[in-house]
Amino acid sequence: MRYDMTPENRALGYKLLTATVTPRPIAWVTSLSPGGLVNAAPYSFFNVMGNDPPVVALGIMAKPDGTLKDTARNILATRAFVVNLVSRAQAEAMNHTCIDAPPEVSEIDLAGLETLPSAQIAPPRIAGAPVALECQLLQGVETGPAQMLMIGEVKAIHIEDACLLDAGRGYVDTPALDLIARMHGAGWYAHRPALFELERPRYAPKG
């Protein structure tokens, strides 16, 4: 079956993409409004896109009314955000920050979360998150009406000490992070998927 992604098929396209491009890591983004209010919201259109400099990309769709989401407006205004990764222990709190709160209400307060100061940027990180990436906005690209692609340079990485095997060498106990990922449908997530290992092949000329 082929689906042509024409403008009238946008809703169908979203359904197909989110049902097939899985699992997706979750960026639990904290940002600051120009007035200093902390916003928190999860996004699964997210990934690492380079390492020199270290870069992440974050896709933010429009609100149902066709306007920019609070996260997008905050990032464009302050040019900084934190990507907090989501452990299973914080899944319910993360889900609570999906709430359609008005801009003057902080999802941090609604979800009963605590924050910690960042080292190099103004927006705080979420206490208890196993990983937090402090990001400075490199570029905000408008990919559709009120739809944004935020490209951020990672300025600092916080990792829980208990999840490090060798801090000096940067060896991470990745399973200990206990991260969840986004799956299909409105509320499905993946946790502790089965792992397997493949050795990367090396080309050797014959003869």
Side-chain angles (χ1 to χ4, degrees):
M1 183 69 182
R2 186 188 80 208
Y3 300 90
D4 293 322
M5 293 293 96
T6 56
E8 59 269 22
N9 276 344
R10 293 296 187 241
L12 178 62
Y14 173 80
K15 184 184 297 184
L16 295 172
L17 288 171
T18 57
T20 56
V21 183
T22 60
R24 300 187 304 279
I26 301 168
W28 197 9
V29 178
T30 43
S31 61
L32 275 180
S33 73
L37 187 76
V38 181
N39 172 273
Y43 298 92
S44 65
F45 290 178
F46 153 74
N47 221 311
V48 177
M49 295 296 167
N51 76 303
D52 188 17
V55 169
V56 298
L58 178 68
I60 304 177
M61 298 191 306
K63 286 183 177 181
D65 65 3
T67 61
L68 283 176
K69 287 189 175 179
D70 298 342
T71 300
R73 288 191 295 101
N74 291 348
I75 293 174
L76 289 173
T78 66
R79 306 193 66 81
F81 59 98
V82 179
V83 170
N84 305 273
L85 301 186
V86 185
S87 68
R88 179 63 185 89
Q90 290 187 312
E92 284 73 20
M94 176 275 300
N95 187 56
H96 199 72
T97 62
C98 293
I99 194 168
D100 55 345
E104 66 273 13
V105 175
S106 173
E107 295 84 359
I108 292 288
D109 296 334
L110 293 178
L113 292 164
E114 296 181 3
T115 62
L116 296 169
S118 294
Q120 299 195 34
I121 60 173
R125 51 198 174 96
I126 294 174
V131 180
L133 313 176
E134 298 185 21
C135 302
Q136 195 80 45
L137 181 66
L138 287 176
Q139 190 173 0
V141 181
E142 188 173 352
T143 57
Q147 178 176 282
M148 298 294 302
L149 176 66
M150 301 297 186
I151 303 170
E153 181 178 350
V154 180
K155 293 294 188 179
I157 303 174
H158 302 264
I159 302 176
E160 288 286 338
D161 290 346
C163 298
L164 291 169
L165 298 172
D166 187 323
R169 296 184 178 184
Y171 291 171
V172 179
D173 185 355
T174 301
L177 300 175
D178 204 28
L179 300 179
I180 62 171
R182 197 70 171 84
M183 292 295 291
H184 61 289
W188 286 96
Y189 295 84
H191 179 231
R192 292 182 181 171
L195 302 179
F196 65 94
E197 184 177 13
L198 296 175
E199 184 177 344
R200 178 175 294 188
R202 293 182 178 275
Y203 177 74
K206 294 182 179 179

